[in-house]
Amino acid sequence: MNIDPKQLIKLLSYMATFDGGIYKPHTKNPDGKVNCQFIMQMRKENEDYLQWVKSVIENVTSARLTERPDYNTDGYQRKPQLRLESNRHSLFTKLRDRIYIDNHKVIDPHMLRLLDEEALAIIFMCDGGTNIDLRHKNPHAKIELHTKGFSYADNMALSGAIYDKLGIVSNVNRHGKYYYLNIATKSHKTFYETVKPYIKPSFDYKFERIAPVIAGW
């Protein structure tokens, strides 16, 4: 899978910002200079997405996909997970400098300039949610992007980029001290048609939840 450099930066940026991560391994080097690596953990049922991410990373360096043991001791039975881990590489070090401030993820302005249909699909697969609101006389769908790890300013910037690039309207909502994006009802059909071609089969359930609404479009 050969990807041109601009597309590669787009994909890795969105994959690392949403659900993945770029980490600096501990080192005993006196100068502390060591390259970073990409790491992502996800449920085994989403292996199709992880295999895709792995194929993208392999344009840069080697990566391994292994089963992740459940280290919890609370007795709760969790679904099996997989761990994707790359080799260290200077590109990941550069991306980390953009994506993290004081070890906290932010929305990189350069990444927003690269936003397109595929990038929005990555956000939806990693952090998107759907349901049908039954509280009203005419039940309607809800499509949300659970970007609660980011600040209000970051959410506003992402919302603006989604509208500027793709014409999809979203609102920044608040849940306690956290913020997230709610796709405006008038943009639901456009959102669905925009991201659906890029959704991996294991994430189809997100749209299946609102299938009765989609059927009426």
Side-chain angles (χ1 to χ4, degrees):
M1 180 179 182
N2 295 316
I3 308 172
D4 72 72
K6 185 177 179 180
Q7 280 287 100
L8 182 62
I9 293 298
K10 178 202 75 178
L11 291 172
L12 290 175
S13 295
Y14 279 90
M15 290 169 173
T17 301
F18 299 95
D19 231 12
I22 299 178
Y23 299 91
K24 183 176 181 180
H26 296 295
T27 177
K28 294 182 179 179
N29 289 354
D31 58 7
K33 292 182 179 179
V34 60
N35 281 323
C36 297
Q37 61 183 153
F38 182 106
I39 297 176
M40 173 182 281
Q41 294 171 171
M42 197 172 270
R43 290 180 302 181
K44 191 172 183 177
E45 61 198 64
N46 298 125
E47 185 174 353
D48 54 355
Y49 180 79
L50 287 168
Q51 290 287 2
W52 177 46
V53 177
K54 182 174 180 289
S55 71
V56 172
I57 291 173
E58 287 173 340
N59 283 264
V60 179
T61 186
S62 299
R64 299 161 296 286
L65 186 60
T66 58
E67 292 195 11
R68 178 184 182 272
D70 186 356
Y71 296 106
N72 296 283
T73 58
D74 55 11
Y76 183 77
Q77 193 72 22
R78 291 173 175 81
K79 292 186 177 182
Q81 288 199 339
L82 296 176
R83 176 184 175 92
L84 176 62
E85 184 174 346
S86 78
N87 286 349
R88 303 175 190 178
H89 195 277
S90 58
L91 177 59
F92 294 131
T93 304
K94 294 176 182 176
L95 287 177
R96 180 178 171 84
D97 290 339
R98 286 181 173 178
I99 296 172
Y100 291 80
I101 294 179
D102 295 330
N103 291 320
H104 183 76
K105 279 186 183 179
V106 299
I107 300 292
D108 171 34
H110 176 71
M111 180 180 76
L112 293 181
R113 290 196 287 272
L114 302 176
L115 188 141
D116 60 10
E117 295 86 350
E118 187 175 39
L120 184 58
I122 291 172
I123 300 174
F124 181 68
M125 285 187 284
C126 291
D127 288 331
T130 61
N131 64 71
I132 293 183
D133 190 340
L134 300 174
R135 295 173 298 175
H136 303 277
K137 183 177 180 180
N138 296 315
H140 63 277
K142 294 182 71 176
I143 301 176
E144 298 172 340
L145 302 179
H146 301 297
T147 48
K148 295 179 180 179
F150 301 99
S151 68
Y152 175 76
D154 279 342
N155 273 278
M156 284 293 294
L158 178 59
S159 177
I162 291 172
Y163 179 74
D164 291 341
K165 296 284 187 176
L166 303 171
I168 294 170
V169 178
S170 61
N171 303 300
V172 179
N173 287 6
R174 184 169 182 171
H175 182 257
K177 63 179 180 179
Y178 301 105
Y179 300 94
Y180 66 96
L181 297 187
N182 179 60
I183 305 301
T185 302
K186 64 182 179 181
S187 286
H188 280 186
K189 183 179 180 182
T190 303
F191 181 92
Y192 172 78
E193 293 173 345
T194 297
V195 304
K196 186 62 175 70
Y198 301 94
I199 300 299
K200 300 301 177 185
S202 68
F203 288 102
D204 281 342
Y205 72 91
K206 294 191 176 187
F207 282 129
E208 288 170 358
R209 287 175 180 164
I210 58 174
V213 177
I214 293 173
W217 286 340

